[in-house]
Amino acid sequence: MPTTPSSQNRSESGEGTKAPEPAESRDGHTPLLGRRAAKVDRLAELMGRREEGGHGAGVWRTAFDRMRRSPMAITGAVIVAVFVVVALFSPVIAPYEPVAQTWGDEVFPNRSVFVGPRAENWLGLDNLGRDQFSRMVIGARQTLLVGVVATLVGFGVGALLGGAAGAAAVLGGRWGRQVDNLVMRVIDMMLALPTLLLAVTVAALVGPSLTTVMIAVGVAQVPIFARLLRGAMLSQGSRDYVLAARALGVRKHRIALVHILPNSLGPVIVQSTLTLATAIIDAAALSYLGLGNPDPAFPEWGTMLADAQRFLSSAPQLAVYPALAIIVTALGFTLLGEAMREALDPKLRK
């Protein structure tokens, strides 16, 4: 039987309006809940991304591009890079042993006779005839070690407490809010003490040593990281991707660890850069108070500053060199951290 134009049109229109095959029939072996959970995972990942110039750009990549054009970020990065290189290669850079009193017969502190910068001693000699430049270079390694370890201690313990409190407050219901209140009251008690006073208390209880300084400064930084991560997790807990995940029945520990926590670490990472500057200053203060490493083979800038205070009138350079090193290094980390925070926070972008 010949096909009429009307039937042909109907067949063509029927083919054009044919409904697509359901996803369940094409992929019957994949559970519906599993596919929806995968979509939620993708949504959580995309919450940390934004469109720029028509192409998807990660937040960290965009922040890095912005920091490359920031004079503040470049200045801080250069200072930090020089400090790290000097600290890592200090045994190679230092021309003499930090405890070698090779020129002890040329220095007479009782008569205010000191040796200033010269060809073989770029920064002169200290009160015992030791090369000041070598001691400054070796001291950079001790300062970097204290700053990094103390920041890691504060970051690790603070992230553990703050993450537990934030996850409990967002997903734990009434029981979780009680856990959050308990943890945060402990953090408030730690915040009641000034940072340096808390570090001095811990150092005085443990005893003077390099390990004491690292633990004391790290413990003093715990409340900062804990409150910052908890606040970031509370903010992320009301986002759409979290509500969607909870509606789909995704387990609470997966929501906290896979979705909320990664998207809350940005401010904490920025704070760790700023905390490095504070840790360096606090470590120098503890060493200045006599709570640092007593071994002269491992000089610290704070200890050198304390030893030089007796000779401020006759040899002020002995105090100026370590003081400038502390100030410039802390300034470098501060500039880098502020530039990173400005690049990541939309409210602070210029």
Side-chain angles (χ1 to χ4, degrees), residues 271-349:
Q271 181 61 38
S272 64
T273 307
L274 296 172
T275 302
L276 270 170
T278 306
I280 290 173
I281 297 175
D282 291 344
L286 293 177
S287 299
Y288 181 84
L289 295 175
L291 298 174
N293 189 5
D295 190 355
F298 300 97
E300 297 178 69
W301 291 343
T303 305
M304 296 172 63
L305 190 60
D307 295 338
Q309 65 179 346
R310 298 176 295 168
F311 314 106
L312 288 178
S313 58
S314 55
Q317 72 275 7
L318 298 181
V320 170
Y321 295 144
L324 284 178
I326 295 171
I327 293 172
V328 173
T329 303
L331 177 64
F333 282 107
T334 301
L335 292 177
L336 186 60
E338 289 291 341
M340 188 182 301
R341 184 174 65 175
E342 181 179 300
L344 287 172
D345 193 344
K347 298 179 181 178
L348 299 177
R349 294 173 186 169

Side-chain angles (χ1 to χ4, degrees), residues 116-157:
R118 57 185 183 181
E120 58 269 32
N121 307 112
W122 293 354
L123 298 181
L125 305 175
D126 66 356
N127 59 304
L128 297 178
R130 298 172 295 191
D131 183 60
Q132 188 77 349
F133 176 76
S134 299
R135 293 179 61 80
M136 288 289 300
V137 171
I138 298 298
R141 165 171 284 196
Q142 303 302 311
T143 302
L144 177 64
L145 178 63
V146 171
V148 171
V149 174
T151 302
L152 289 178
V153 170
F155 179 88
V157 180

Side-chain angles (χ1 to χ4, degrees), residues 208-229:
S209 66
L210 185 63
T211 305
T212 297
V213 175
M214 293 187 291
I215 295 176
V217 177
V219 170
Q221 305 297 336
V222 167
I224 300 174
F225 287 108
R227 291 195 66 89
L228 186 60
L229 182 58

